[in-house]
Amino acid sequence: MLITAIESSVVSLPFTMGGPHPLFAGQPWDRLEILLVRVETADGLVGWGEAFGHAAIPATKAALDSIVAPLAVGRDAGDINALTRQVLHGVHLLGRNGSFVYAWSGVEMALWDLLGKRTGQPVWRLLGGSAPGPLPAYSSLLSYGGNLDLVARNTADARAQGFRHIKLHELTRDAVLAARAAAPDAAIMLDVNCAWTPPVARDMAASLAGDGLLWLEEPVWPPEDADGLASLRRHGIPLTAGENTAGLFGFRTLMQAGAIDIAQPSVTKIGGIGEMVQVFALARAQGVEVIPHCPYFGPGFVATLHVAAALAERPLIEVLWLEMEANPFDPWVRARDGHVAVPTAPGLGCDPDPAVLAKYTAAAPTRTEARRAA
């Protein structure tokens, strides 16, 4: 069926996080924002996707509304592979990793939702999976700016809510030690968001080597420095990266350099579900584990559940440690006792609650329609 219209809209959700709200890309971050992508087809079906995201939403939305949506409307919604190739080739001069790929990620995700609805199958079934039970999750704490009391308190609270894996977004060994003391039986991970040049990263990895980290995430700046990242392997801490990696071939570069133990593709950034599937296949051939990056709150999170349920040997789902005032995709975006449920209805299996959309959508959707033949 042909794509007749694509709409973009921004849902803005107040939240609390167990501490003061941080800056994100230099801006106060006190609301969760979802860039929703709604795709309609000629047979009246609607699919939902989510494009990255956070402080990049104005740029991603502009790329979607001005370039990507016009390229996709009027095309066959079921021809996902060909449409991915054509759209991404059409925008490749505008950037192979950024707003245009993020925008397409949201559309592509919605096409899988449509395919599942049309065939009566959940996405995990389309990907060759069987009916999944709840997936284990890890609590991804936001940054407390080095405040060790807040690190310890929120780590303890996350463990009390059933999380057995807890990730910090801090920059010091002291934060790791505070978290380990607060939850001695939990696995602790550290994500520093590309904070250190390779020499500093090597020194930090050496200091952390005996602390039992489950993994050290994105320790090197810039994230394209695969050899610099690989130089940390000598310290024995499992290394993870991928949320900033450009597609399949970016991951191939990391793996060929021997830089990562765990690949972390992000479905809202990498080009959608199809590209995620290819990264899983590559990682399997290279002996690298995949644990997707998914600190999202809408279809991007739900799509990750489907992909992980179908393809991950040891799924572990990232859940941000915060409390939302509401969410149009409840209850699927929340963890219970350290686990998240996977929808079983066709497609992504959970359309948004229209009442929540009506209350929290920031502005009227932008709509792109297919041109009618003269």
Side-chain angles (χ1 to χ4, degrees):
M1 286 293 171
L2 299 184
I3 299 170
T4 55
I6 296 175
E7 286 187 354
S8 67
S9 60
V10 179
V11 179
S12 183
L13 307 169
F15 73 97
T16 57
M17 51 166 283
H21 289 93
L23 294 177
F24 191 103
Q27 303 175 35
W29 190 34
D30 57 4
R31 300 180 77 87
L32 305 176
E33 292 190 327
I34 307 171
L35 178 49
L36 277 183
V37 182
R38 184 180 189 272
V39 178
E40 302 174 15
T41 54
D43 57 352
L45 289 178
V46 172
W48 293 91
E50 179 180 354
F52 189 81
H54 301 308
I57 280 180
T60 304
K61 190 175 186 302
L64 175 63
D65 297 338
S66 63
I67 303 292
V68 173
L71 285 173
V73 293
R75 308 296 295 277
D76 180 359
D79 199 5
I80 300 175
N81 291 334
L83 195 49
T84 294
R85 168 74 165 80
Q86 291 158 7
V87 170
L88 291 184
H89 184 267
V91 301
H92 80 278
L93 292 176
L94 308 176
R96 287 288 296 130
N97 187 23
S99 56
F100 294 93
V101 182
Y102 303 165
W104 174 247
S105 299
V107 176
E108 196 264 9
M109 202 182 305
L111 298 183
W112 280 90
D113 189 26
L114 285 163
L115 180 61
K117 288 172 176 173
R118 186 166 292 111
T119 59
Q121 300 291 334
V123 169
W124 52 258
R125 176 70 75 189
L126 297 177
L127 297 176
S130 60
L135 303 181
Y138 70 86
S139 179
S140 187
L141 276 58
L142 298 181
S143 173
Y144 304 110
N147 185 318
L148 300 184
D149 290 336
L150 290 179
V151 169
R153 187 182 75 194
N154 284 283
T155 299
D157 289 348
R159 181 66 189 92
Q161 288 197 17
F163 289 100
R164 300 189 65 84
H165 300 78
I166 299 168
K167 186 167 81 176
L168 310 179
H169 286 86
E170 303 292 337
L171 297 175
T172 67
R173 181 175 182 242
D174 286 343
V176 172
L177 297 179
R180 289 193 63 80
D185 64 340
I188 303 297
M189 303 91 95
L190 179 64
D191 181 358
V192 302
N193 293 118
C194 307
W196 306 314
T197 60
V200 176
R202 287 191 289 270
D203 288 345
M204 289 300 302
S207 73
L208 294 162
D211 295 331
L213 285 174
L214 185 64
W215 73 61
L216 177 59
E217 185 170 337
E218 288 201 317
V220 166
W221 174 260
E224 307 89 68
D225 186 356
D227 291 334
L229 181 56
S231 73
L232 274 63
R233 296 289 294 279
R234 71 185 71 165
H235 298 292
I237 305 172
L239 301 178
T240 68
E243 68 179 271
N244 294 303
T245 300
L248 178 69
F249 290 92
F251 279 97
R252 187 175 72 172
T253 298
L254 288 175
M255 293 177 196
Q256 288 180 339
I260 54 174
D261 299 281
I262 299 169
Q264 295 176 301
S266 175
V267 73
T268 70
K269 300 178 78 172
I270 198 172
I273 290 172
E275 195 80 0
M276 291 276 284
V277 171
Q278 294 185 63
V279 172
F280 269 90
L282 173 67
R284 189 175 301 114
Q286 297 291 324
V288 172
E289 190 168 10
V290 180
I291 298 178
H293 171 264
C294 62
Y296 307 123
F297 333 103
F301 182 87
V302 178
T304 303
L305 298 180
H306 285 266
V307 173
L311 300 177
E313 185 173 0
R314 296 188 295 183
L316 187 60
I317 305 300
E318 182 174 13
V319 177
L320 283 184
W321 176 250
L322 48 78
E323 184 61 35
M324 295 169 280
E325 182 175 291
N327 189 294
F329 294 92
D330 269 337
W332 306 105
V333 294
R334 297 182 189 267
R336 175 172 294 183
D337 193 28
H339 289 75
V340 285
V342 183
T344 58
L348 294 179
C350 57
D351 285 357
D353 182 334
V356 178
L357 289 185
K359 182 175 181 180
Y360 292 98
T361 298
T366 301
R367 184 175 178 85
T368 304
E369 295 184 343
R371 295 179 180 177
R372 296 182 179 181

